[in-house]
């Protein structure tokens, strides 16, 4: 059917029409329509009655007002005299107008007995005879009437006027025009109609509320549907051969059909009683009151087995929900369902084994998971024995006779097992014992009755007697094999808790379970081997003993991740001038590759540190090095080189090496610390009062990303400060974000009174994750300051004569320090370095002696010219200065500063290298570089 304009109705219109049609034909819709019609009729009748009553009351009021006005005017003093005067109209007209206005009537007419008007509200009617029958008034009777005629229709009253003798001498007529009466009634109509509309609205709204309530109760069903529902209700109660119970949220029985009463033996007055008061089996009562859903749960009711299904009812208007329970008599199917249930439980057990065995890459834990998954659903006790190489992660022998294994796991229904505990060596010396027979045959072996298993009993007569007395009576031994190699043995035991012995079906199931577990154990073994290799490599590449230095007191910890070794590392590198470099870094990834990359980076940092570069420049060189390593490892074009010759992996892209690093240089003379970061978390700074802060460092990109220069940040460390360097594995994990970890670390570091080693232990004890997913490197350094009496400094004027004065001052300082043994060597070095700084450098020239683990001689100038060591020819007059310094110092070198360079040399405190012949130091001043 088309619409009004020939179009098909839209889907929305059709859905709306369908909903309206269903609502109109529903019981709620019909009740609403009937109520609305009744309300409309009642309100219409009431409104009509009100209009008629208002008209009647208004007309009656008009009569009363007219009669009162006429009586009052007729009995006014002087009226009879005025009627008998020569000009009655002139005397009475003003009085009539005033009385008319005061009484609210439309007219007051004073007339003769024949009806001739002396006064009227209309002057043109004066002198004319009034219409209507006034004979009754002339006869002395007062009356009211509704007059129809000229000059207008009116409700009027006519009253006789009497003189002192009682004789009627005139008439007074008053009235209100019918039009004004009608107008008064019509003026009340809006109020009446508004009241009627309000009543109609309230009545319709009430009907709608009742209809809505009824619609919710009937769910919008029509009469036919209600009839069918009643039929279905009756059928469920009396005809359905399946028990139905409806239980309310208060655990009281709301409804029970005939079949449920029969199956459960319910009393006639069961409805309304609490479930626990119905005399049901405790398990049945517990299920019905638990509120949990159940599907075909088998329960006993007398001599019957009932399949019970429980479902919660749908919540309605926020009220608590009850449950609907159905019951089926499944007594005849008990045997069949028992076997089906056993098969289903076995499949479920295999599924659980696939999910629960091998959740970790730990050999022992995998063995424990095998024993746990089979108890108590398949066996009362399960033991797992593994070969010693498997426990270590090594490859077991491909063939051979196994006579002993070590017990790795045992699980049972009770803790007082008579079997040997975990860690014991289990021997298989009797070939006919089930364990030895299973290993020899390569498949599972069943011993249904251990009393008859003489080979098993012969292996350990005392132990087997205790096991039999305990109640162990049946055994299945399964060799654990993967890739054709035996890894261990799984033994499934049944005791008095399960009187049924194992059978052939159990044998095949145990073999399937063992095969699945063997694969997981082999994976864990291989991971253990790789993990051990990576850990060994990692620890071999990390510093084992920190170098001797005086700038900081250091303690460290390194913990590999449980899932695989990463590339975290740390280092402490002594630098010239009693300074020290503290390094911590993290290579992306895990495994041997990450550990090897870490070793290369640590070596590179050591090499670059010998150049005495600032932290930002060192990280820049390290970043460039990593980029070159990537290019070399990837053959220059991102392809993996075929290094083994086996062709495996050829053409695959190698992972780009990435790493983070924090490099800090601390100077104990000034307390100055300069550090730079390549994508690594900054250190924690612990003040002497326990206050902890995390200095902000310029954010740098990780090493290997390239493209941006690094920036350094300088800190002035107070005396007694502690620097804590760490990798992100310490503070961050899947269950803890980085900021939360930093807050916890600050709380732990703020505890006073601990040396660095104790602080390391406390930090790991408080922050270590149960299963760390990343490596952890922690380095804690207590900073020290070099005492002022161990430092000597001189400003050197730019003249040659100053060399001897500074040299002599240095010798005097060495004497004050008690270092006379190295005085000559030191004077020689100072003489050469100062002379060359004056000749080839620029002002200012300064000399500094530091008494540390060795004597450090430093000469600085404002030139960045790089000196170099050379061999002078026999004919050269100079060029031997640095050669002499290199000969008599343990180490020497140059480092550059913002304003020049520093040439330094270290002389051991125990005695320097003495010249074979005395030297003239003044003459040596003429030697050039």
């Amino acid at each position: 059917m088309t619409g009004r304009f020939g179009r098909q109705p839209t889907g929305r219109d059709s859905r709306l029409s369908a909903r309206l049609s269903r609502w109109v034909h529903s019981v709620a819709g019909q009740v609403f329509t009937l109520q609305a019609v009744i309300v409309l009729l009642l309100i219409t009748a009431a409104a009509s009655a009100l209009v008629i009553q208002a008209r009647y009351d208004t007309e009656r009021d008009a009569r009363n007002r007219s009669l009162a006005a006429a009586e009052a005017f007729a009995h006014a003093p002087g009226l009879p005299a005025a009627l008998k005067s020569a000009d009655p109209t002139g005397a009475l007209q003003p009085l009539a107008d005033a009385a008319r206005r005061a009484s609210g009537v439309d007219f007051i007419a004073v007339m003769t007995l024949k009806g001739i008007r002396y006064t009227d509200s209309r002057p043109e009617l004066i002198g004319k005879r009034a219409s209507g029958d006034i004979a009754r008034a002339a006869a002395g009777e007062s009356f009211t009437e509704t007059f129809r005629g000229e000059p207008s229709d009116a409700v009027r009253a006519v009253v006789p006027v009497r003189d002192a003798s009682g004789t009627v001498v005139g008439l007074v007529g008053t009235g209100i025009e019918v039009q004004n009466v009608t107008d008064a009634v019509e003026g009340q109509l809006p109020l009446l109609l508004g009241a009627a509309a309000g009543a109609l609205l309230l009545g319709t709204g009430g009907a709608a509320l009742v209809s809505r309530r009824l619609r919710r109760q009937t769910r919008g069903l029509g009469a036919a549907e209600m009839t069918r529902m009643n039929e279905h209700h009756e059928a469920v109660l009396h005809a359905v051969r399946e028990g139905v119970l409806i239980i309310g949220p208060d655990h009281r029985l709301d409804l029970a059909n005939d079949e449920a009463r029969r199956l459960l033996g319910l009393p006639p007055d069961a409805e309304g009683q609490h479930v626990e008061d119905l005399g049901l089996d405790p398990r049945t009562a517990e299920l019905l009151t638990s509120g949990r859903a159940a599907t075909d749960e088998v329960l006993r009711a007398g001599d019957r087995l009932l399949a019970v299904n429980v479902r919660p009812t749908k919540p309605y208007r926020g009220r608590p929900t009850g449950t609907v329970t159905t019951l089926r008599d499944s007594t005849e199917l008990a045997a069949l369902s028992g076997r089906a249930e056993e098969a289903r439980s076995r499949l479920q057990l295999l599924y659980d084994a696939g999910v629960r065995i091998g959740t970790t890459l730990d050999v022992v834990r995998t063995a424990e998971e095998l024993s746990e998954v089979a108890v108590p659903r398949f066996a009362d006790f399960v033991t797992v024995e593994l070969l010693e190489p498997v426990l270590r992660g090594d490859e077991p022998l491909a063939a051979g006779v196994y006579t002993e294994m070590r017990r790795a796991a045992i699980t049972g229904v009770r803790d007082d097992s008579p079997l040997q505990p975990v860690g014991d060596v289990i021997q298989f010396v009797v070939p006919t014992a089930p364990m030895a027979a299973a290993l020899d045959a390569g498949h599972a072996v069943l011993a249904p009755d251990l009393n008859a298993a003489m080979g098993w009993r012969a292996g350990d007569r005392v132990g087997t007697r205790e096991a039999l007395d305990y109640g162990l009576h049946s055994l299945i031994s399964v060799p654990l094999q993967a890739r054709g190699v035996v890894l261990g043995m799984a033994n499934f035991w049944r005791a008095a808790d399960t009187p049924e012995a194992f059978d052939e079906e159990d044998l095949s199931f145990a073999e399937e379970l063992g095969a699945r577990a063997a694969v997981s154990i082999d994976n864990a073994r291989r991971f253990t081997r790789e993990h051990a290799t990576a850990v060994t490599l990692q620890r071999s590449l990390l510093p084992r003993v920190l170098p001797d230095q005086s700038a900081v007191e250091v303690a460290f910890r390194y913990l590999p991740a449980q899932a695989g070794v990463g590339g975290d590392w740390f280092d402490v590198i002594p630098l010239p001038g009693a300074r020290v470099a503290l390094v911590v870094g993290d290579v992306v990834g895990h495994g041997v590759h990450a550990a090897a990359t870490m070793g290369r980076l640590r070596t590179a940092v050591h090499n670059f540190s010998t150049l005495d570069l600032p932290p930002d420049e060192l990280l820049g060189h390290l970043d460039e090095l990593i980029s070159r390593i990537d290019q070399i490892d990837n053959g220059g074009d991102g392809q993996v080189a075929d290094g083994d010759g086996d062709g495996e992996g050829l053409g695959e892209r190698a992972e780009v090496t990435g790493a983070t690093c924090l490099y800090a240089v601390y100077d104990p003379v000034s307390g100055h610390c300069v550090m730079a970061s390549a994508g690594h978390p900054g250190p924690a700074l612990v003040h002497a009062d326990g206050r902890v802060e995390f200095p902000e460092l310029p954010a740098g990109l990780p090493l290997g990303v390239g493209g941006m220069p690094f920036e350094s940040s300088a800190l002035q460390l107070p005396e007694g400060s502690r620097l804590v360097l760490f990798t992100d594995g310490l503070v961050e994990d899947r269950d803890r974000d980085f900021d939360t970890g930093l807050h916890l670390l600050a709380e732990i570091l703020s505890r006073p009174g601990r040396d660095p080693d104790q602080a390391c232990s406390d930090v790991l004890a408080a922050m270590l994750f149960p299963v760390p997913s990343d490596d952890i490197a922690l380095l804690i350094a207590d900073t020290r300051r070099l005492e002022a009496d161990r430092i000597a400094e001189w400003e050197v004027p730019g003249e040659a004569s100053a060399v001897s004065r500074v040299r002599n001052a240095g010798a005097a300082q060495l004497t004050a320090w008690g270092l006379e043994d190295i005085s000559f060597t030191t004077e020689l070095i100072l003489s050469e370095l100062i002379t060359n700084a004056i000749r080839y450098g620029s002002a200012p020239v300064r000399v500094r002696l530091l008494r540390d683990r060795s004597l450090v001689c430093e000469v600085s100038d404002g030139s960045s010219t790089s000196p170099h060591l050379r061999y002078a020819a026999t004919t050269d007059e100079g060029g031997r200065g640095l050669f002499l310094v290199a000969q008599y110092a343990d180490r020497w070198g140059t480092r550059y500063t913002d304003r020049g360079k520093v040439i330094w040399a270290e002389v051991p405190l125990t005695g320097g290298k003495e010249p074979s012949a005395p030297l003239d130091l003044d003459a040596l001043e003429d030697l050039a570089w």
Side-chain angles (χ1 to χ4, degrees):
M1 178 181 293
T2 60
R4 180 178 178 182
F5 299 102
R7 296 177 298 176
Q8 293 290 342
T10 63
R12 182 177 179 183
D13 294 338
S14 62
R15 290 194 298 270
L16 181 60
S17 300
R19 293 181 62 183
L20 288 175
S21 177
R22 287 197 301 270
W23 181 78
V24 169
H25 290 88
S26 66
V27 173
Q30 295 175 14
V31 170
F32 173 75
T33 303
L34 180 59
Q35 288 179 327
V37 170
I38 292 174
V39 169
L40 181 60
L41 291 176
L42 290 175
I43 292 176
T44 302
S48 301
L50 287 173
V51 172
I52 295 172
Q53 182 66 35
R55 184 179 293 278
Y56 171 75
D57 291 341
T58 305
E59 185 174 340
R60 184 181 60 182
D61 180 65
R63 288 174 181 270
N64 293 335
R65 288 168 57 196
S66 299
L67 181 59
E71 289 283 355
F73 198 83
H75 291 84
L79 181 59
L83 288 173
K84 296 176 181 181
S85 65
D87 186 10
T89 298
L92 297 175
Q93 180 66 27
L95 298 175
D97 287 340
R100 175 178 59 80
R101 288 191 295 269
S103 62
V105 296
D106 292 333
F107 62 88
I108 297 179
V110 181
M111 302 172 288
T112 66
L113 295 178
K114 293 182 179 182
I116 302 302
R117 297 182 178 91
Y118 288 135
T119 65
D120 199 281
S121 58
R122 297 180 182 181
E124 69 271 12
L125 296 179
I126 297 174
K128 294 183 179 181
R129 187 178 184 278
S131 302
D133 184 11
I134 59 175
R136 288 184 296 169
E141 179 185 355
S142 300
F143 69 91
T144 62
E145 65 177 352
T146 300
F147 172 76
R148 306 287 181 180
E150 295 296 335
S152 62
D153 297 339
V155 176
R156 71 178 182 178
V158 183
V159 177
V161 179
R162 299 176 186 273
D163 59 9
S165 63
T167 303
V168 177
V169 294
L171 303 174
V172 176
T174 64
I176 299 174
E177 294 181 358
V178 173
Q179 180 63 38
N180 292 336
V181 174
T182 303
D183 290 344
V185 174
E186 291 178 353
Q188 298 179 15
L189 283 178
L191 178 61
L192 294 175
L193 293 178
L200 179 61
L201 183 61
L202 290 176
T204 306
L209 291 177
V210 173
S211 175
R212 183 180 179 185
R213 179 67 176 178
L214 184 59
R215 179 167 58 86
R216 289 187 177 181
Q217 296 294 331
T218 62
R219 304 299 175 94
L221 299 177
E225 288 87 351
M226 293 292 289
T227 302
R228 286 198 299 270
M229 180 181 292
N230 183 66
E231 293 174 354
H232 296 164
H233 180 73
E234 292 295 325
V236 169
L237 284 179
H238 307 298
V240 173
R241 305 314 299 170
E242 185 170 289
V244 177
L245 300 174
I246 298 180
I247 299 171
D250 56 353
H251 300 157
R252 293 185 179 276
L253 181 63
D254 292 339
L255 182 142
N257 69 348
D258 295 345
E259 183 67 7
R261 293 175 182 274
R262 184 183 69 84
L263 293 175
L264 297 176
L266 298 177
D269 58 346
E271 278 90 350
Q273 295 190 35
H274 198 279
V275 172
E276 295 180 351
D277 299 333
L278 297 176
L280 302 177
D281 180 80
R283 289 186 59 197
T284 304
E286 187 275 332
L287 175 61
L288 297 181
T289 57
S290 64
R292 63 181 176 87
T295 301
D296 290 337
E297 188 165 330
V298 179
L299 299 175
R300 184 173 295 277
D303 57 350
R304 296 186 181 92
L305 291 178
L306 303 180
V308 182
N309 291 273
V310 181
R311 293 292 183 273
T313 57
K314 186 177 180 181
Y316 178 67
R317 296 178 64 86
R319 297 177 181 173
T321 61
T323 57
V324 176
T325 304
T326 60
L327 312 168
R328 292 197 315 274
D329 190 349
S330 60
T331 306
E332 297 179 356
L333 300 176
L336 292 177
S337 64
R339 296 181 64 85
E341 176 64 22
E342 183 179 0
R344 187 189 68 81
S345 65
R346 292 292 172 84
L347 289 175
Q348 182 65 39
L349 181 55
L350 286 177
Y351 171 79
D352 292 343
V355 172
R356 293 176 54 185
I357 298 176
T359 58
T360 66
L361 293 174
D362 182 81
V363 174
V364 174
R365 179 57 193 153
T366 305
E368 292 173 350
E369 290 170 342
L370 168 60
S371 65
E372 291 169 357
V373 78
V375 175
R377 289 188 288 176
F378 179 66
D380 296 325
F381 293 91
V382 175
T383 59
V384 180
E385 293 78 40
L386 298 176
L387 295 171
E388 290 286 355
V390 175
L391 290 171
R392 296 192 302 268
D394 297 334
E395 185 80 21
L397 297 177
V401 178
Y402 305 102
T403 59
E404 64 179 30
M405 296 180 184
R406 189 171 297 278
R407 179 149 293 167
I410 179 171
T411 302
V413 294
R414 294 190 300 274
D415 296 333
D416 57 341
S417 166
L419 302 171
Q420 291 177 256
V422 172
D424 278 12
V425 174
I426 311 301
Q427 296 183 342
F428 315 122
V429 294
V430 180
T432 56
M435 297 82 165
L439 290 173
D440 182 60
H443 57 75
V445 170
L446 168 65
D449 185 6
L450 289 178
N451 284 287
M454 296 304 174
W456 173 70
R457 298 182 63 176
D460 181 6
R461 297 188 179 277
V462 176
T464 55
R465 171 48 55 190
E466 292 179 358
L468 292 173
D469 293 340
Y470 182 83
L472 299 180
H473 61 82
S474 188
L475 167 66
I476 295 179
S477 295
V478 182
L480 301 177
Q481 303 177 89
R483 299 176 291 106
V485 178
V486 174
L487 305 175
M489 169 75 64
N491 295 296
F492 303 91
W493 310 78
R494 280 187 178 173
D497 301 82
T498 307
E500 298 83 4
F502 287 117
D503 55 23
E504 292 297 329
E505 292 185 2
D506 297 325
L507 184 67
S508 60
F509 174 78
E511 195 155 21
E512 174 67 19
L513 187 61
R516 297 193 178 197
V519 174
S520 297
I521 291 175
D522 189 52
N523 289 337
R525 177 198 61 79
R526 298 171 68 180
F527 173 80
T528 300
R529 180 184 60 187
E530 295 178 3
H531 183 72
T533 301
V535 169
T536 302
L537 175 61
Q538 175 86 340
R539 293 192 181 278
S540 67
L541 296 175
L542 289 173
R544 298 182 182 181
V545 179
L546 296 181
D548 292 334
Q549 43 78 39
S550 303
V552 291
E553 180 185 356
V554 180
F556 63 89
R557 294 289 189 277
Y558 170 77
L559 293 178
Q562 185 170 356
V565 176
D568 291 12
W569 93 93
F570 62 91
D571 218 333
V572 178
I573 306 173
L575 297 177
R579 296 169 302 135
V580 66
L582 304 176
V583 191
V584 66
D586 185 1
V587 175
V588 174
H590 293 83
V592 176
H593 174 72
T597 303
M598 178 275 294
R600 300 166 81 177
L601 290 179
R602 180 169 176 253
T603 301
V605 171
H606 267 275
N607 291 335
F608 287 135
S609 67
T610 60
L611 301 177
D612 214 346
L613 299 173
D616 53 342
E617 293 185 21
L618 185 143
L619 292 182
H621 287 292
L622 200 61
D623 181 61
E624 183 180 355
L625 174 64
I626 289 181
S627 299
R628 290 202 306 269
I629 290 176
D630 286 340
Q631 294 176 0
I632 294 172
D633 288 348
N634 294 333
D637 58 357
Q639 302 295 321
V640 177
D642 185 12
D644 321 0
D646 58 0
E648 293 184 2
L650 187 61
E652 297 180 0
R653 294 190 62 84
E655 292 186 4
V656 176
T657 303
T660 64
C661 182
L662 176 66
Y663 186 86
V665 176
Y666 173 67
D667 186 352
V669 177
S670 62
H672 202 58
C673 182
V674 182
M675 61 185 70
S677 171
H680 198 87
L685 175 59
V686 185
H687 294 265
D689 58 0
R691 181 168 51 90
V692 180
E693 63 175 311
F694 295 92
E696 293 187 6
L697 301 182
L701 296 176
L703 300 173
V705 176
M708 294 295 292
F710 298 97
E711 297 183 53
S712 294
S713 178
L715 298 175
Q716 184 66 34
L717 302 185
E719 292 191 26
S721 300
R722 171 175 289 177
L723 277 176
V724 180
L725 285 70
F726 54 89
T727 56
D728 56 1
L730 177 68
V731 296
E732 188 176 24
D733 199 76
R734 290 183 294 268
D735 300 326
R736 185 170 69 202
D737 59 34
F738 187 80
D739 292 337
T740 302
L742 286 184
H743 181 72
L744 179 59
L745 178 61
E747 289 183 357
I748 301 167
L749 293 176
S750 63
R751 301 169 187 170
R754 297 169 302 168
D755 60 28
D757 191 72
Q758 292 172 335
C760 283
S761 300
D762 292 346
V763 167
L764 291 184
M767 302 195 64
L768 189 63
F769 298 98
V771 183
S773 58
D774 198 3
D775 289 17
I776 295 175
L778 176 64
L779 182 67
I780 296 182
D782 281 356
T783 61
R784 297 170 177 170
R785 298 291 287 272
L786 196 64
E787 296 85 349
D789 59 359
R790 299 165 69 92
I791 305 170
E793 293 184 275
W794 298 276
E795 189 84 28
V796 182
E799 55 188 28
S801 60
V803 177
S804 60
R805 293 198 303 271
V806 175
R807 187 181 66 220
N808 295 331
Q813 183 64 58
L814 292 179
T815 302
W817 283 341
L819 300 178
E820 296 88 350
D821 293 344
I822 59 173
S823 177
F824 181 82
T825 303
T826 304
E827 288 185 62
L828 172 63
I829 293 173
L830 285 177
S831 178
E832 295 300 325
L833 295 181
I834 297 173
T835 300
N836 286 290
I838 294 175
R839 288 184 179 180
Y840 305 106
S842 59
V845 178
R846 297 183 59 85
V847 175
R848 184 171 71 172
L849 296 181
L850 303 177
R851 182 188 175 188
D852 192 34
R853 295 178 182 270
S854 62
L855 181 67
V856 181
C857 304
E858 295 182 345
V859 177
S860 63
D861 66 83
S863 171
S864 59
T865 303
S866 176
H868 59 279
L869 181 67
R870 66 187 180 92
Y871 291 91
T874 56
T875 58
D876 291 341
E877 296 182 0
R880 297 179 178 83
L882 287 182
F883 180 78
L884 289 175
V885 172
Q887 289 293 313
Y888 290 101
D890 264 7
R891 294 194 309 158
W892 75 277
T894 304
R895 71 173 181 270
Y896 295 93
T897 64
D898 295 337
R899 299 180 180 179
K901 65 179 181 295
V902 176
I903 303 177
W904 55 270
E906 292 183 0
V907 179
L909 300 180
T910 56
K913 301 175 183 178
E914 294 294 335
S916 56
L919 295 177
D920 184 359
L921 295 180
D922 293 328
L924 290 176
E925 295 176 3
D926 296 330
L927 296 177
W929 285 2

